[in-house]
Amino acid sequence: MPEIFDAAGKGELGALLVVGADPVAKLRREPRPHWQNTFVIVADIFLTQTAALADVVFPAASLYEKAGTVTNTFGDVQLARKAADRAGVKPDFEILCG
């Protein structure tokens, strides 16, 4: 992540897509003005510090708003069943594929 911030600061990064992460909070470092020439897109279920600074934010579906599998902290793969639909949110895969 520090390298990404540095590349954006040097104008070497035209766009940045952040999915389900909050690098601003993790690095505890203010990205603007480093990101002033970088188009930042965030897809997340929460309005994180990074999402608050992004040019575009896509609301991502939570685990219970999509179907698939999840691996828990013990390495067990578990089936996730869609429990509800919510207007405006999409699973990560649909956001990435358009």
Side-chain angles (χ1 to χ4, degrees):
M1 287 187 295
E3 291 84 4
I4 292 171
F5 276 40
D6 294 339
K10 294 175 189 172
E12 298 172 351
L13 194 63
L16 176 63
L17 173 62
V18 181
V19 180
D22 192 6
V24 173
K26 184 161 181 89
L27 291 177
R28 296 187 180 125
R29 178 171 152 187
E30 176 60 41
R32 302 276 187 204
H34 299 288
W35 287 359
Q36 66 188 4
N37 297 321
T38 302
F39 188 74
V40 180
I41 305 161
V42 173
D44 207 321
I45 62 174
F46 300 109
L47 183 61
T48 61
Q49 291 179 32
T50 305
L53 297 171
D55 296 299
V56 175
V57 178
F58 293 118
S62 71
L63 174 63
Y64 301 105
E65 296 168 319
K66 56 189 174 184
T69 59
V70 63
T71 304
N72 67 18
T73 56
F74 293 107
D76 300 325
V77 178
Q78 299 174 314
L79 181 63
R81 292 197 173 109
K82 188 174 185 177
D85 284 317
R86 184 163 186 163
V89 298
K90 291 184 176 185
D92 301 336
F93 185 73
E94 286 183 36
I95 291 171
L96 293 173
C97 293

